[in-house]
Amino acid sequence: MAAYPPTLEALTLLDSIAKLSDGLKNGEQGAREGLLGACSKLISELSHPTETMLMLLWAQPSHHTILRMAVEIRLFQAMSGIGAEGQRTADIAAKCAHQADPILVGRMLRHLAAMDTVRETGPDTFAPTALSNAFAEPAYQDSILYIFEDFQPVHQATPSFFHKHGFKSPDSGVDGPFQHTFNCKGDHYFEYFPKHNPEMGRRFASMMEAWSKGRPRWFQEEYYPVRQRLIDGADKGSEAFLVDVGGGTGHDIEGLLQAFGAEIPGKLVLQERPEIIEIAQVSPEVQTMAHDFLTEQPVKGARAYYFHSIIQDWTDPVNTQILKSIVPAMKKGYSKILVNDFVVPNQGAHWAQTCMDWELMESLGARHRTVAEHTALYEGAGLKVVGIWRHPQSVDSLIELELT
């Protein structure tokens, strides 16, 4: 492609990257995240529009298809034990499922290498990366399957939904692009799983486990001070310490248990839909309980009721019902609600916030909220915001609520 002169913005980004690079070498907090953002912007500034188009519309869709096929033939498992020197395609193909053709495997590996998913170490020779090794894990495999098999059809059907319903943001959890795609108007996204496609629900839950990997956890000292805000002042005679409401397979409550162990002065309770409770992965110390969070909270007087990515999944009227089902169980001046969710800035939202906001709209008719929108929602349910905490390397936040 012909020369494409750098913009002033690109030259400014180069200076920024140099400073952030020094910060990374010196262990400065936030330098890694700053570099990721700056390098991404630099690529955008240096790329010709045609190059960007080819990456988005040609390279990435091919990449997604190859990832799906890699799951099918167990390519990433076949590569997981290969050393840094790499291995020939024919040898890798021999370890794949379905007697995969070495020529086909080679074509897959070349594009995976071009997209930096695997490493090309020589002619027809490839080695794994941290990413490809992660893709060999069950939760990452399920994530690929869920997005490619179960949710990509929703992306593809979204334009026809808006043509049919008018170009206004959906405000219903039972009549949106997801229901339009699967012809299930009236069924909420989470109702659809057990009624029509339990495997889709299992993959979704597994993907949420992968989503939590590598991210700062809400109970880390740099994120939210659990000892000062929850453990200190907790009633040692109280039966329940924390209830993880809608807590998936238990990665948050299990992480809290592993982090604080005997310091936790009461019971930990995981609540979820029955089919998710059946596959929960928690220690015996955690009590599991099937519960619909739209109904009255059965665990009374807990120190904290924790919601991770729950508020973002529902419209304001439903969220008000969810919160009001907790309020009668709370002890005034003692119990807290902890909302681990995205708080969208008024300017400069991160791509993880913007893409998930779009997918929330498609799947749930829901959205992310600003500080003002969060505050108004909670005040309407008889709650007040005590504080908002955020880890320096996190794009989500922890909102602490108490009864007004």
Side-chain angles (χ1 to χ4, degrees), residues 208-222:
M208 290 299 96
E209 178 188 342
W211 161 244
S212 72
K213 292 178 183 289
R215 300 173 63 208
R217 309 295 293 278
W218 70 275
F219 47 78
Q220 292 175 352
E221 186 64 29
E222 303 88 347

Side-chain angles (χ1 to χ4, degrees), residues 93-386:
K95 295 181 287 184
C96 290
H98 302 296
Q99 297 181 321
D101 174 15
I103 295 176
L104 176 64
V105 172
R107 298 173 81 169
M108 294 170 65
L109 287 168
R110 279 193 292 276
H111 191 55
L112 290 173
M115 303 300 287
D116 298 315
T117 300
V118 302
R119 184 172 295 111
E120 193 169 16
T121 60
D124 197 36
T125 306
F126 300 89
T129 62
L131 177 59
S132 69
N133 284 334
F135 279 153
E137 299 174 16
Y140 284 90
Q141 297 256 300
D142 284 333
S143 300
I144 293 169
L145 291 172
Y146 176 81
I147 294 299
F148 193 92
E149 299 285 343
D150 301 322
F151 206 77
Q152 188 58 35
V154 181
H155 287 312
Q156 292 172 335
T158 292
S160 66
F161 169 83
F162 283 109
H163 275 288
K164 183 177 180 180
H165 292 81
F167 288 82
K168 296 182 293 185
S169 288
D171 58 3
S172 169
V174 296
D175 186 17
F178 181 86
Q179 289 75 22
H180 173 72
T181 303
F182 293 104
N183 192 28
C184 61
K185 182 178 178 180
D187 284 339
H188 191 272
Y189 182 70
F190 293 126
E191 295 173 339
Y192 181 87
F193 296 157
K195 287 174 64 175
H196 304 288
N197 197 331
E199 176 62 9
M200 182 189 292
R202 188 199 65 78
R203 289 174 178 174
F204 174 82
S206 186
M207 181 177 68
M208 290 299 96
E209 178 188 342
W211 161 244
S212 72
K213 292 178 183 289
R215 300 173 63 208
R217 309 295 293 278
W218 70 275
F219 47 78
Q220 292 175 352
E221 186 64 29
E222 303 88 347
Y223 199 146
Y224 176 74
V226 172
R227 288 186 180 89
Q228 294 89 337
R229 303 298 302 178
L230 298 182
I231 295 177
D232 292 350
D235 183 357
K236 302 300 188 292
S238 177
E239 185 177 1
F241 175 70
L242 182 139
V243 183
D244 190 351
V245 185
T249 56
H251 47 271
D252 277 305
I253 203 163
E254 181 67 19
L256 178 67
L257 174 63
Q258 297 306 318
F260 292 94
E263 291 185 67
I264 296 174
K267 189 188 314 179
L268 297 175
V269 182
L270 172 67
Q271 294 180 338
E272 248 299 355
R273 303 190 309 277
E275 70 275 12
I276 302 301
I277 285 294
E278 288 180 5
I279 60 173
Q281 301 169 5
V282 292
S283 300
E285 295 93 327
V286 176
Q287 177 185 345
T288 57
M289 179 185 297
H291 175 62
D292 178 355
F293 53 46
L294 292 171
T295 62
E296 182 181 350
Q297 173 57 241
V299 182
K300 311 296 183 182
R303 180 62 160 157
Y305 299 88
Y306 173 74
F307 292 87
H308 192 176
S309 300
I310 302 294
I311 299 301
Q312 68 176 21
D313 287 350
W314 301 89
T315 60
D316 283 355
V318 176
N319 274 319
T320 299
Q321 183 180 350
I322 292 171
L323 294 166
K324 286 186 173 181
S325 74
I326 297 285
V327 165
M330 298 175 69
K331 183 189 299 185
K332 189 172 177 65
Y334 176 77
S335 299
K336 305 172 185 291
I337 291 178
L338 306 177
V339 176
N340 196 180
D341 214 317
F342 282 17
V343 178
V344 181
N346 293 324
Q347 182 178 353
H350 189 273
W351 62 262
Q353 296 170 323
T354 55
C355 76
M356 186 172 286
D357 179 69
W358 184 263
E359 291 171 350
L360 287 172
M361 177 199 71
E362 290 180 317
S363 58
L364 300 160
R367 62 190 172 91
H368 286 146
R369 293 169 175 82
T370 63
V371 171
E373 290 167 337
H374 273 287
T375 301
L377 172 64
Y378 306 136
E379 288 178 348
L383 298 158
K384 63 181 179 182
V385 176
V386 177

Side-chain angles (χ1 to χ4, degrees), residues 70-87:
V71 172
E72 193 74 22
I73 67 171
R74 298 182 61 81
L75 173 61
F76 298 124
Q77 289 88 339
M79 295 188 69
S80 60
I82 298 173
E85 71 282 358
Q87 198 168 82

